[in-house]
Amino acid sequence: MMERMAVILEKDLARGQAAFAQWCHAAHESLASAESMGSLASADNHGITAAPAPALSVSPALPRNMWAMAVRYSLFLLERRAPGPGVEVRVAPWGAIKILDGPESDPHNLTPPDVIELDPDVWLRLAAGITTWAQEKDAGHITAVGERDDLSDLLPLV
């Protein structure tokens, strides 16, 4: 069996944990601010809002390296929660892991039959519990191929 590359180096775990915690804190603050602004706006518009839920647009303004460490650390947590070779979860450009039992990739095709691709902001919202799998899927923010294309039972990670 081929040796897997770690999504985060052991020496970076503390930095990753801190980055994920900071991202979560900033995201919750951003959401609270957006929701308070939304409640004011909806009061002005007599309760009629055409904008999507504020949670679906949460994307804190943090340095790129913090985003990278938060993604890597949260993928590490998911990998620990559901080890296995059956589903590949990709959060480009910062990481990809294989999780859950099931059919493995073969030596000629290193991609398992089930693949889930997420943008970093979508992944971190899910990992932090800002949004649910159903909300992001309904908004068209999740690309998934295969029978096991729903991680809602594994999320949030916090």
Side-chain angles (χ1 to χ4, degrees), residues 24-25 63 86 89-90 97 104 109 140 145 150 153:
C24 290
H25 179 74
V89 179
R90 300 174 183 166
I97 58 170
E104 293 186 51
N109 179 7
V145 176
D150 186 340
D153 290 344

PDB file of all heavy atoms in Angstrom, residues 24-25 63 86 89-90 97 104 109 140 145 150 153:
ATOM      1  N   CYS A  24     -12.953  30.410  13.044  1.00  0.00           N
ATOM      2  CA  CYS A  24     -14.300  30.199  13.596  1.00  0.00           C
ATOM      3  C   CYS A  24     -14.786  31.446  14.338  1.00  0.00           C
ATOM      4  O   CYS A  24     -15.934  31.874  14.163  1.00  0.00           O
ATOM      5  CB  CYS A  24     -14.310  28.998  14.537  1.00  0.00           C
ATOM      6  SG  CYS A  24     -14.101  27.407  13.708  1.00  0.00           S
ATOM      7  N   HIS A  25     -13.921  32.018  15.150  1.00  0.00           N
ATOM      8  CA  HIS A  25     -14.280  33.219  15.910  1.00  0.00           C
ATOM      9  C   HIS A  25     -14.627  34.372  14.957  1.00  0.00           C
ATOM     10  O   HIS A  25     -15.662  35.030  15.112  1.00  0.00           O
ATOM     11  CB  HIS A  25     -13.130  33.609  16.844  1.00  0.00           C
ATOM     12  CG  HIS A  25     -13.404  34.844  17.639  1.00  0.00           C
ATOM     13  ND1 HIS A  25     -14.272  34.864  18.714  1.00  0.00           N
ATOM     14  CD2 HIS A  25     -12.941  36.108  17.501  1.00  0.00           C
ATOM     15  CE1 HIS A  25     -14.323  36.087  19.200  1.00  0.00           C
ATOM     16  NE2 HIS A  25     -13.524  36.865  18.487  1.00  0.00           N
ATOM     17  N   PRO A  63      -5.629  36.604   6.839  1.00  0.00           N
ATOM     18  CA  PRO A  63      -4.494  36.341   5.947  1.00  0.00           C
ATOM     19  C   PRO A  63      -4.581  34.956   5.291  1.00  0.00           C
ATOM     20  O   PRO A  63      -5.074  34.001   5.883  1.00  0.00           O
ATOM     21  CB  PRO A  63      -3.273  36.415   6.873  1.00  0.00           C
ATOM     22  CG  PRO A  63      -3.724  37.180   8.073  1.00  0.00           C
ATOM     23  CD  PRO A  63      -5.193  36.912   8.202  1.00  0.00           C
ATOM     24  N   GLY A  86     -12.097   5.440   1.049  1.00  0.00           N
ATOM     25  CA  GLY A  86     -13.198   5.371   0.101  1.00  0.00           C
ATOM     26  C   GLY A  86     -13.688   6.658  -0.522  1.00  0.00           C
ATOM     27  O   GLY A  86     -14.244   6.646  -1.609  1.00  0.00           O
ATOM     28  N   VAL A  89     -11.894  13.943  -0.253  1.00  0.00           N
ATOM     29  CA  VAL A  89     -12.412  15.285  -0.003  1.00  0.00           C
ATOM     30  C   VAL A  89     -11.314  16.258  -0.395  1.00  0.00           C
ATOM     31  O   VAL A  89     -10.216  16.216   0.159  1.00  0.00           O
ATOM     32  CB  VAL A  89     -12.808  15.475   1.481  1.00  0.00           C
ATOM     33  CG1 VAL A  89     -13.329  16.889   1.713  1.00  0.00           C
ATOM     34  CG2 VAL A  89     -13.845  14.440   1.896  1.00  0.00           C
ATOM     35  N   ARG A  90     -11.629  17.133  -1.342  1.00  0.00           N
ATOM     36  CA  ARG A  90     -10.644  18.099  -1.853  1.00  0.00           C
ATOM     37  C   ARG A  90     -11.077  19.520  -1.512  1.00  0.00           C
ATOM     38  O   ARG A  90     -12.204  19.917  -1.801  1.00  0.00           O
ATOM     39  CB  ARG A  90     -10.528  17.995  -3.367  1.00  0.00           C
ATOM     40  CG  ARG A  90     -10.102  16.642  -3.868  1.00  0.00           C
ATOM     41  CD  ARG A  90     -10.153  16.603  -5.377  1.00  0.00           C
ATOM     42  NE  ARG A  90      -9.816  15.279  -5.883  1.00  0.00           N
ATOM     43  CZ  ARG A  90     -10.031  14.886  -7.124  1.00  0.00           C
ATOM     44  NH1 ARG A  90     -10.576  15.719  -8.001  1.00  0.00           N
ATOM     45  NH2 ARG A  90      -9.699  13.668  -7.499  1.00  0.00           N
ATOM     46  N   ILE A  97      -7.931  14.834   1.368  1.00  0.00           N
ATOM     47  CA  ILE A  97      -7.806  13.663   2.231  1.00  0.00           C
ATOM     48  C   ILE A  97      -8.708  12.563   1.707  1.00  0.00           C
ATOM     49  O   ILE A  97      -9.623  12.818   0.926  1.00  0.00           O
ATOM     50  CB  ILE A  97      -8.201  13.981   3.694  1.00  0.00           C
ATOM     51  CG1 ILE A  97      -9.632  14.510   3.770  1.00  0.00           C
ATOM     52  CG2 ILE A  97      -7.208  14.945   4.319  1.00  0.00           C
ATOM     53  CD1 ILE A  97     -10.195  14.638   5.172  1.00  0.00           C
ATOM     54  N   GLU A 104     -11.423   1.347  -2.624  1.00  0.00           N
ATOM     55  CA  GLU A 104     -10.220   2.173  -2.755  1.00  0.00           C
ATOM     56  C   GLU A 104      -9.941   2.450  -4.218  1.00  0.00           C
ATOM     57  O   GLU A 104     -10.469   1.804  -5.103  1.00  0.00           O
ATOM     58  CB  GLU A 104      -9.006   1.435  -2.191  1.00  0.00           C
ATOM     59  CG  GLU A 104      -9.029   1.207  -0.723  1.00  0.00           C
ATOM     60  CD  GLU A 104      -7.740   0.596  -0.238  1.00  0.00           C
ATOM     61  OE1 GLU A 104      -6.658   1.137  -0.571  1.00  0.00           O
ATOM     62  OE2 GLU A 104      -7.810  -0.401   0.471  1.00  0.00           O
ATOM     63  N   ASN A 109      -5.517   4.181 -11.122  1.00  0.00           N
ATOM     64  CA  ASN A 109      -6.351   5.366 -10.967  1.00  0.00           C
ATOM     65  C   ASN A 109      -6.348   5.710  -9.480  1.00  0.00           C
ATOM     66  O   ASN A 109      -7.000   5.058  -8.683  1.00  0.00           O
ATOM     67  CB  ASN A 109      -7.776   5.079 -11.450  1.00  0.00           C
ATOM     68  CG  ASN A 109      -8.678   6.271 -11.277  1.00  0.00           C
ATOM     69  OD1 ASN A 109      -8.241   7.355 -10.928  1.00  0.00           O
ATOM     70  ND2 ASN A 109      -9.966   6.070 -11.520  1.00  0.00           N
ATOM     71  N   GLY A 140     -25.633  25.245  -4.358  1.00  0.00           N
ATOM     72  CA  GLY A 140     -24.747  24.885  -5.473  1.00  0.00           C
ATOM     73  C   GLY A 140     -23.273  25.044  -5.162  1.00  0.00           C
ATOM     74  O   GLY A 140     -22.449  25.148  -6.068  1.00  0.00           O
ATOM     75  N   VAL A 145     -19.295  13.611  -6.483  1.00  0.00           N
ATOM     76  CA  VAL A 145     -19.525  12.515  -7.408  1.00  0.00           C
ATOM     77  C   VAL A 145     -19.434  11.218  -6.624  1.00  0.00           C
ATOM     78  O   VAL A 145     -18.501  11.017  -5.853  1.00  0.00           O
ATOM     79  CB  VAL A 145     -18.461  12.518  -8.535  1.00  0.00           C
ATOM     80  CG1 VAL A 145     -18.644  11.324  -9.452  1.00  0.00           C
ATOM     81  CG2 VAL A 145     -18.513  13.814  -9.312  1.00  0.00           C
ATOM     82  N   ASP A 150     -22.402  12.852   0.764  1.00  0.00           N
ATOM     83  CA  ASP A 150     -22.999  13.657   1.830  1.00  0.00           C
ATOM     84  C   ASP A 150     -22.217  13.447   3.118  1.00  0.00           C
ATOM     85  O   ASP A 150     -22.194  12.336   3.660  1.00  0.00           O
ATOM     86  CB  ASP A 150     -24.461  13.244   2.006  1.00  0.00           C
ATOM     87  CG  ASP A 150     -25.213  14.110   2.988  1.00  0.00           C
ATOM     88  OD1 ASP A 150     -24.576  14.792   3.818  1.00  0.00           O
ATOM     89  OD2 ASP A 150     -26.450  14.089   2.936  1.00  0.00           O
ATOM     90  N   ASP A 153     -23.371  13.814   8.314  1.00  0.00           N
ATOM     91  CA  ASP A 153     -23.256  13.071   9.566  1.00  0.00           C
ATOM     92  C   ASP A 153     -21.913  13.292  10.268  1.00  0.00           C
ATOM     93  O   ASP A 153     -21.787  12.970  11.447  1.00  0.00           O
ATOM     94  CB  ASP A 153     -23.447  11.567   9.330  1.00  0.00           C
ATOM     95  CG  ASP A 153     -24.878  11.207   8.974  1.00  0.00           C
ATOM     96  OD1 ASP A 153     -25.778  12.042   9.208  1.00  0.00           O
ATOM     97  OD2 ASP A 153     -25.112  10.099   8.452  1.00  0.00           O
TER      98      ASP A 153
END
